[in-house]
Amino acid sequence: MTNPENTPTITNTTTEGKGLTEYEAKIYDRSIRLWGVDAQAKLRQSKVLFIGINGLMSEIIKNVVLAGVDSITLVDDHIITSADLSAHLFITEDSVGKVISTESVFAIGELNPLVTIDVYDKEIETMDDQFIKNYTIVVMSDKNLNNVSKINSLCRKNNVSFMFSHSFGLKALFFSDLNEFKYFIKKPTEPPTTETHTSIFKSFKESMGYDWSKTNNRTPLPFFALSTLYQFEEKHNRVPDNISDSDLFELKSIVNSSIEKFNLKNVEPNKYFDETKDLLNKINVEISPVCAIIGGIVGAEIIKVITQNMQVLNNFFFYDGIKGTGLVEQF
Amino acid sequence: MSERYSHIIEVLGQSTFDKIQTCKILVVGAGGIGCELLKNLVLTGFKNIDIIDLDTIDISNLNRQFLFRKQHIGMSKAKIAKESVLKYNELVNITAHHGDVKSIEFGSEFFKKFDLVMNALDNISARRHVNRLCLSVDVPMIESGSAGYLGQVSVIRKGITECFECQPIAVPKQFAVCTIRTNPSAPIHCIVWAKMLFGKLFGPKDDGDSSSLTDLDNDIIHGTEELGNIKRDEKLSIEKEKGFNRWVFHKIFHTDIETLIHMPDLWKDKQPPTSLLLDEILTSKQEQDKKEVEKIGDQLIFTLPDQKQWSFKENVEVFLDCLEKLKQQQLQQNGKPMTWDKDDELALSFVCSASNIRSNIFGIPMKSRFDVKSMAGNIIPAIATTNAVIGGLIVIEAIKIVDGRFDQCRSTYLYQLPSGKRLLMPVEIEPQNPKCFVCNRSFITCRLNTEKITIGQFIDQVLKKTLALNEPILTVGTDIIYEGGDQDLSKEEIEQRSKIEKKTLATHRLTNDTSLIVEDYNQDFQVTINIQHTTDFDEDVKKLKKQKQKEIDEKEGKTTLEKEKEEDDKFFEIIGKSTIQTSQPTTTTTTTTTTSTIDTNNKDSVVEDDDDFMFIEDIPSATTTTTTTNTNATESTTNKKRKEIDTDESEDLESSKKLKSNLQD
């Protein structure tokens, strides 16, 4: 996939790496052999904010903590129920009734004692520029797409990388907005040079308003469904209720008006509506293998964003556990 | 029942979930993929799980094998994985086995107990072993692998899909003996040599390849007794007096190199090596230390201490020091043979310094300890994120299998960057290869010089390394002519077996057109090999061929490829229809670097049915048994699959074809 804004310019860039201890060199031996010492040094200087500590996020956190970031902050005051145990890595039966963020701290700490863990115990509405600027990247999982858009805007304004990921039963997706993302590819020339590449991202809000007429009637179902849910939430400022007839009726009319607006011929409106309904029905349903798959892919993307030494995915990914496909789309 | 399964039941339905709860699973390997997989299995509701792993926990595992902690270093992976994973769900029955899946206790009787086997292994030889056992007891198997950002998961079911061995398997790269011993041209050649030297000095006495590397007492540089022109290295006996490390240094870096220099044929086209004298090096001035932080352009390149290149003199000092310490270590353990281990600091420093000194002698660039570890230990860097994806994909396939939906099973590839739009690419699994010698018990033919090759070489290189047999039993007609394995043997039986190993094939009834049956009870596996005598692989014939090829090439203006030089050691060829030529012509060139060429074009010479076999008359012969020579098969950690997962490009072509016909978005 070639990206028009992705033309390389060759420069000699200056980066400074802080030293790693001998113990770190041993612990991270295999990953250093893959992504290099400079990348490992960047990881240990990075701070990651996680909003929404569900099962999928526990997978992402595990991967990022093992990779060796400096510190992470958890945001989620949800009270744990038995059903939360389905795909979660940091809680047990004894955790039921407790607050998920604080309850997760101990198990995360065991994964890698070199990483500092904090909990932010206030509402996400209280996050401001000053707060968000502390982080290298913000990763979010939320069924409320208005919240996603809000945090994304805050990150964008402060030039902080942002990722959103959510699973829906056998399906899962992630979105990333890295604003203007630069990455550096080392070339083994004599003397060694570095190629600087830039990828331009869109905000969540902008992507959700995508002009589907450009997709030539090959509009991918899951992304269309997501944007349908988003339009509903933008209007009503809440997540639609999957057992409310009036909500479902309105979702159907959003689907129909989009089909008309973008002149999407040769498609069955029912297929789009069914996909929307399916996502909505599974919006709280997490199963372990799907969380592991999407969590692994998001984890790898976070590491790429921090280390800036490789091309990243721009800007949506969708995994479908029924078909087994994992597609990258740009909207 | 706990509400913890409410999500999985909602997604999969009660009846599938019930099957998950009752199904019995075997997980082979509790490493990178294994840890991820076990966690997913217990969270998904799989309840009856056995884990096998022979390994113990190392510090370099902790960055991805997340069931292990610092305090577990040195303990059994299988046992700790079991303990740790119970935290994720206590409602499961897990049995941990700390052992080798290839050992007798895990034979077909053991495998029969399971409904599904999951491979999370790091070496081809164990994968092939499990493949054969699963086929033999007709248990479905999920195969997986990862390397860096790349990964793959597939399903194997007897009679329905291809098996692990239906397609050619890349045998780990081996180098010609002459390249290693006399004519190295790259750092890896010196590293392989240094590992052999370790085996020679500290390993078991009869360690096949290494034992003949050098003879420490032999001071002859040139000449023969008959001609009366012997030239000796007088200094060797003097150095021997000065201690073990000086003696070894002088022998391998002076005497042996002098011997090579006295073979002018070797140095027609290249610079001869330079032999070293220890005293000269030790009195020379220490070179300037390289700075830890180097500056290239305006860029500061940060390096680890291990990535720093030792100076030549440092290498010599480290080498002498390591020799002394290793010798001491062995004495303290009553002379017990040691095996080389990349994670043993002293053993690694030994190989690093020895290979660098040798590199220097041959004008080859030296390498840092960090790089030597990668190369000597065949390290394929593994990371948590890839393993997490693979561990998830395995469970997705497992769910289809317990549900009996084999038609929906797929091979899935994880790419580093999207291929088209696909980062995860499912492809339909190939049907079984009718010519496969494993799942279809098809005959194979082995061409070699039966008058020169010994039974020992045949067993080691052909049966064990190429055909992945573990403890082969060889039968001609109704007579057992050789029995591998470690059963309780008398001293006499062991001696008799080693005698047979030294005989040539022809003197032990394996002549042209013999039909040899090879069995392995451990794998519950049998293959019939038609032996064909040929002189094609004799040195002089090969030389002649090469020369002719060179002449043709020169006429056509082609240069001989470096790769071709390295396959001199090939002494046999397997022709098996197990190995249908795939569409990419490049496969042939890649396989030529291995010891054996799995020929895929020569279909005419393949035996099609029993009538083509001529059984030799039964000659009474003593049934003999011997100890298994340690082949060190687990040493190579390459986890290339038949289709190598790092050959993205060719794969894309192939799988996108399939995708067009089978899958739609």
Side-chain angles (χ1 to χ4, degrees):
Chain A
M1 204 167 36
T2 43
N3 188 339
E5 346 34 88
N6 215 342
T7 36
T9 50
I10 299 178
T11 51
N12 282 320
T13 48
T14 308
T15 49
E16 267 186 68
K18 271 193 199 164
L20 299 175
T21 65
E22 203 181 318
Y23 180 70
E24 286 172 301
K26 277 186 182 158
I27 288 270
Y28 304 127
D29 180 86
R30 294 303 187 273
S31 33
I32 290 171
R33 284 175 202 279
L34 187 68
W35 52 55
V37 204
D38 290 338
Q40 195 64 52
K42 273 188 178 171
L43 278 165
R44 66 115 80 170
Q45 291 168 60
S46 60
K47 300 177 191 310
V48 188
L49 178 68
F50 292 101
I51 306 172
I53 315 301
N54 53 19
L56 162 60
M57 198 65 107
S58 74
E59 281 282 349
I60 301 174
I61 292 171
K62 173 204 72 193
N63 296 333
V64 171
V65 165
L66 288 172
V69 293
D70 173 64
S71 70
I72 64 167
T73 304
L74 311 177
V75 189
D76 195 341
D77 58 2
H78 169 80
I79 304 295
I80 300 164
T81 67
S82 285
D84 291 328
L85 297 172
S86 63
H88 213 288
L89 307 185
F90 310 135
I91 55 177
T92 65
E93 303 275 354
D94 297 338
S95 311
V96 174
K98 296 175 183 162
V99 175
I100 201 146
S101 52
T102 42
E103 190 61 15
S104 300
V105 172
F106 180 75
I108 300 173
E110 278 203 313
L111 287 175
N112 188 349
L114 299 172
V115 177
T116 310
I117 308 150
D118 295 313
V119 170
Y120 181 81
D121 57 4
K122 283 172 258 176
E123 300 287 312
I124 56 170
E125 284 75 21
T126 63
M127 290 176 188
D128 57 13
D129 296 346
Q130 217 46 45
F131 174 78
I132 219 80
K133 271 183 189 160
N134 291 321
Y135 297 96
T136 322
I137 180 165
V138 174
V139 186
M140 183 168 189
S141 187
D142 200 322
K143 60 184 175 183
N144 185 322
L145 301 178
N146 274 336
N147 284 348
V148 173
S149 187
K150 215 182 285 169
I151 299 294
N152 179 205
S153 305
L154 182 65
C155 289
R156 205 173 179 44
K157 188 174 149 209
N158 292 286
N159 206 15
V160 174
S161 298
F162 175 82
M163 273 188 205
F164 160 63
S165 184
H166 203 74
S167 80
F168 308 83
L170 275 165
K171 297 172 181 175
L173 62 80
F174 93 77
F175 159 84
S176 61
D177 175 10
L178 311 178
N179 214 336
E180 216 179 288
F181 179 71
K182 280 194 163 52
Y183 61 99
F184 311 98
I185 309 278
K186 278 184 195 159
K187 294 274 153 179
T189 50
E190 200 49 61
T193 48
T194 306
E195 269 183 17
T196 305
H197 301 251
T198 310
S199 293
I200 309 292
F201 286 76
K202 281 186 197 159
S203 71
F204 188 71
K205 191 183 164 84
E206 196 183 344
S207 291
M208 287 293 99
Y210 187 75
D211 177 1
W212 299 111
S213 62
K214 288 188 203 163
T215 53
N216 294 329
N217 291 318
R218 293 198 69 243
T219 308
L221 284 172
F223 301 104
F224 187 91
L226 190 73
S227 89
T228 306
L229 292 176
Y230 180 73
Q231 286 174 60
F232 181 100
E233 291 181 37
E234 212 180 20
K235 186 171 164 197
H236 298 280
N237 205 17
R238 64 174 174 87
V239 180
D241 183 347
N242 66 334
I243 49 168
S244 150
D245 285 342
S246 62
D247 280 9
L248 291 175
F249 183 81
E250 182 158 357
L251 283 173
K252 194 161 195 169
S253 68
I254 295 173
V255 169
N256 288 333
S257 67
S258 292
I259 289 173
E260 202 173 314
K261 181 177 166 196
F262 297 115
N263 198 20
L264 302 176
K265 288 170 196 158
N266 310 323
V267 293
E268 301 157 55
N270 278 341
K271 254 176 122 178
Y272 286 124
F273 178 59
D274 288 346
E275 181 77 9
T276 311
K277 256 197 324 195
D278 189 40
L279 288 194
L280 184 58
N281 286 336
K282 303 277 164 47
I283 207 157
N284 288 316
V285 180
E286 294 191 301
I287 65 168
S288 161
V290 172
C291 290
I293 294 165
I294 187 83
I297 288 170
V298 175
E301 285 307 302
I302 294 170
I303 292 163
K304 290 185 206 169
V305 169
I306 293 168
T307 57
Q308 290 179 280
N309 60 0
M310 220 191 290
Q311 190 181 324
V312 292
L313 303 181
N314 186 357
N315 60 350
F316 274 98
F317 172 85
F318 194 87
Y319 172 70
D320 184 333
I322 299 154
K323 292 180 193 151
T325 47
L327 298 177
V328 180
E329 298 274 1
Q330 192 166 15
F331 295 120
Chain B
M1 159 133 358
S2 155
E3 213 194 320
R4 66 153 59 234
Y5 296 129
S6 59
H7 288 183
I8 195 89
I9 294 169
E10 188 178 339
V11 173
L12 302 179
Q14 188 68 46
S15 87
T16 302
F17 181 71
D18 290 344
K19 289 178 202 156
I20 286 174
Q21 288 257 290
T22 50
C23 145
K24 295 183 82 164
I25 288 185
L26 173 64
V27 174
V28 191
I33 293 174
C35 282
E36 292 286 342
L37 174 61
L38 285 165
K39 168 258 300 172
N40 298 340
L41 287 174
V42 301
L43 287 173
T44 306
F46 287 92
K47 265 173 79 174
N48 307 296
I49 304 167
D50 278 47
I51 318 166
I52 304 179
D53 199 310
L54 57 76
D55 220 356
T56 54
I57 296 156
D58 180 75
I59 186 167
S60 64
N61 300 147
L62 303 183
N63 78 327
R64 62 192 184 284
Q65 299 175 18
F66 73 101
L67 297 175
F68 311 140
R69 314 267 171 267
K70 202 177 158 190
Q71 66 267 25
H72 298 140
I73 289 170
M75 297 182 188
S76 154
K77 283 189 176 178
K79 291 189 172 150
I80 301 299
K82 173 198 164 164
E83 261 173 47
S84 299
V85 86
L86 284 174
K87 273 186 265 171
Y88 295 96
N89 187 352
E90 292 163 356
L91 312 165
V92 290
N93 316 309
I94 302 178
T95 312
H97 308 269
H98 182 201
D100 185 351
V101 70
K102 281 156 78 178
S103 66
I104 289 172
E105 54 178 314
F106 307 118
S108 51
E109 283 307 310
F110 176 81
F111 270 71
K112 255 184 211 162
K113 295 189 294 191
F114 301 99
D115 301 305
L116 176 56
V117 172
M118 298 173 180
N119 262 358
L121 283 160
D122 65 355
N123 68 87
I124 291 231
S125 131
R127 283 185 167 103
R128 294 175 77 174
H129 185 90
V130 174
N131 177 49
R132 290 170 190 193
L133 278 169
C134 286
L135 291 168
S136 120
V137 297
D138 197 5
V139 170
M141 170 178 130
I142 304 177
E143 171 52 44
S144 63
S146 77
Y149 297 98
L150 309 171
Q152 189 191 348
V153 172
S154 193
V155 171
I156 294 170
R157 179 72 207 265
K158 189 183 182 179
I160 295 179
T161 70
E162 63 177 1
C163 83
F164 185 74
E165 298 176 84
C166 273
Q167 291 187 36
I169 290 170
V171 177
K173 187 169 175 156
Q174 292 194 7
F175 299 98
V177 172
C178 65
T179 308
I180 300 305
R181 297 197 180 173
T182 60
N183 206 358
S185 58
I188 185 68
H189 301 149
C190 298
I191 291 168
V192 171
W193 174 88
K195 276 172 77 178
M196 284 167 74
L197 180 65
F198 184 92
K200 163 78 193 171
L201 298 173
F202 307 109
K205 283 280 163 290
D206 56 347
D207 184 11
D209 293 345
S210 308
S211 54
S212 55
L213 189 69
T214 183
D215 174 5
L216 286 180
D217 279 313
N218 184 358
D219 61 355
I220 299 173
I221 290 173
H222 180 66
T224 59
E225 278 192 45
E226 292 102 51
L227 293 171
N229 62 345
I230 286 186
K231 190 175 176 228
R232 290 178 189 274
D233 180 6
E234 311 292 347
K235 295 190 202 90
L236 185 62
S237 53
I238 303 169
E239 288 295 317
K240 189 178 175 181
E241 298 293 311
K242 294 182 185 165
F244 176 71
N245 54 3
R246 291 193 61 118
W247 177 30
V248 172
F249 185 96
H250 187 86
K251 169 65 183 164
I252 57 173
F253 297 129
H254 187 85
T255 318
D256 286 350
I257 301 299
E258 282 293 319
T259 311
L260 290 179
I261 294 170
H262 280 82
M263 299 178 181
D265 276 4
L266 284 171
W267 318 113
K268 271 183 199 153
D269 307 324
K270 64 187 278 192
Q271 195 67 25
T274 39
S275 65
L276 302 174
L277 286 171
L278 191 52
D279 285 329
E280 285 176 12
I281 300 162
L282 294 178
T283 52
S284 72
K285 260 196 245 160
Q286 181 76 40
E287 297 137 71
Q288 196 78 47
D289 257 3
K290 279 186 186 162
K291 283 191 186 109
E292 230 172 86
V293 177
E294 279 178 72
K295 215 177 171 194
I296 300 174
D298 341 321
Q299 196 168 1
L300 287 167
I301 306 291
F302 176 73
T303 51
L304 296 170
D306 253 13
Q307 287 177 310
K308 205 190 106 193
Q309 179 99 52
W310 292 335
S311 71
F312 176 66
K313 198 171 171 183
E314 274 176 303
N315 274 301
V316 172
E317 285 160 356
V318 170
F319 179 74
L320 294 172
D321 186 48
C322 285
L323 266 178
E324 197 60 51
K325 285 182 176 152
L326 285 165
K327 188 83 194 165
Q328 282 301 322
Q329 201 172 304
Q330 192 161 41
L331 277 175
Q332 279 161 16
Q333 291 163 4
N334 302 318
K336 200 179 141 222
M338 301 195 249
T339 37
W340 191 80
D341 176 5
K342 64 179 183 304
D343 293 316
D344 178 338
E345 299 285 320
L346 201 53
L348 176 62
S349 290
F350 172 87
V351 164
C352 179
S353 56
S355 64
N356 277 337
I357 298 168
R358 187 168 168 87
S359 287
N360 196 280
I361 285 173
F362 284 91
I364 298 163
M366 300 199 289
K367 288 273 166 190
S368 71
R369 201 166 171 275
F370 185 86
D371 289 342
V372 171
K373 185 171 179 174
S374 271
M375 294 162 88
N378 287 323
I379 296 176
I380 298 164
I383 48 168
T385 54
T386 305
N387 289 338
V389 177
I390 297 306
L393 289 172
I394 294 172
V395 176
I396 294 286
E397 294 306 316
I399 292 167
K400 296 179 203 164
I401 292 171
V402 297
D403 235 2
R405 292 181 278 132
F406 280 97
D407 56 319
Q408 290 175 22
C409 288
R410 292 287 178 274
S411 271
T412 308
Y413 296 88
L414 169 67
Y415 293 131
Q416 178 169 351
L417 288 169
S419 157
K421 288 179 172 183
R422 290 173 178 82
L423 192 68
L424 280 172
M425 168 108 86
V427 296
E428 221 162 86
I429 305 169
E430 293 282 326
Q432 92 189 112
N433 177 353
K435 311 290 170 17
C436 177
F437 80 97
V438 178
C439 64
N440 262 311
R441 306 244 148 156
S442 189
F443 300 104
I444 52 176
T445 297
C446 181
R447 298 176 67 235
L448 74 181
N449 189 333
T450 56
E451 285 154 17
K452 286 195 172 160
I453 304 304
T454 63
I455 300 267
Q457 283 174 295
F458 178 73
I459 287 172
D460 201 49
Q461 294 296 322
V462 180
L463 299 184
K464 289 185 174 173
K465 284 198 177 138
T466 309
L467 299 178
L469 287 136
N470 203 4
E471 295 182 349
I473 300 166
L474 281 62
T475 311
V476 175
T478 53
D479 290 337
I480 295 177
I481 61 167
Y482 180 95
E483 202 172 341
D486 245 339
Q487 303 89 345
D488 307 314
L489 297 175
S490 67
K491 217 177 165 186
E492 291 74 42
E493 285 171 318
I494 291 171
E495 269 171 27
Q496 203 161 11
R497 191 160 71 172
S498 2
K499 264 186 210 157
I500 292 176
E501 281 168 3
K502 290 187 184 101
K503 283 191 183 177
T504 63
L505 296 176
T507 55
H508 206 64
R509 308 184 57 201
L510 294 170
T511 47
N512 190 34
D513 251 348
T514 309
S515 176
L516 168 70
I517 295 167
V518 182
E519 283 173 286
D520 192 323
Y521 291 144
N522 261 4
Q523 301 178 339
D524 203 1
F525 175 71
Q526 180 186 321
V527 60
T528 306
I529 303 173
N530 181 34
I531 304 289
Q532 285 193 351
H533 174 77
T534 176
T535 53
D536 281 4
F537 306 110
D538 289 9
E539 280 308 314
D540 41 343
V541 177
K542 273 201 282 190
K543 229 179 222 171
L544 209 72
K545 254 191 188 170
K546 211 183 233 178
Q547 205 150 5
K548 273 189 187 158
Q549 185 60 43
K550 209 177 163 185
E551 280 163 23
I552 296 169
D553 283 353
E554 269 165 19
K555 258 187 212 160
E556 290 175 9
K558 278 189 261 176
T559 45
T560 328
L561 289 167
E562 190 69 23
K563 267 183 189 168
E564 289 169 30
K565 287 190 210 155
E566 284 176 4
E567 53 146 353
D568 279 0
D569 247 17
K570 190 176 86 172
F571 67 79
F572 66 93
E573 177 182 41
I574 300 276
I575 306 163
K577 286 215 180 165
S578 68
T579 52
I580 280 181
Q581 180 76 44
T582 45
S583 53
Q584 309 119 22
T586 47
T587 30
T588 7
T589 50
T590 50
T591 50
T592 50
T593 53
T594 62
T595 24
S596 66
T597 303
I598 300 184
D599 193 333
T600 50
N601 299 318
N602 203 344
K603 291 194 176 90
D604 301 332
S605 52
V606 172
V607 181
E608 295 275 12
D609 59 43
D610 287 49
D611 294 337
D612 288 353
F613 274 77
M614 192 179 73
F615 285 90
I616 56 163
E617 264 184 51
D618 297 341
I619 303 164
S621 70
T623 306
T624 46
T625 34
T626 55
T627 46
T628 346
T629 41
N630 181 8
T631 53
N632 227 347
T634 46
E635 189 192 306
S636 102
T637 53
T638 150
N639 52 7
K640 280 178 199 162
K641 212 191 154 181
R642 300 144 296 169
K643 298 177 196 167
E644 306 209 10
I645 45 183
D646 48 5
T647 53
D648 274 0
E649 232 169 281
S650 52
E651 199 120 287
D652 276 3
L653 284 173
E654 205 191 353
S655 23
S656 55
K657 248 189 288 164
K658 283 180 207 161
L659 264 158
K660 268 180 206 143
S661 51
N662 302 321
L663 299 160
Q664 286 167 339
D665 308 336

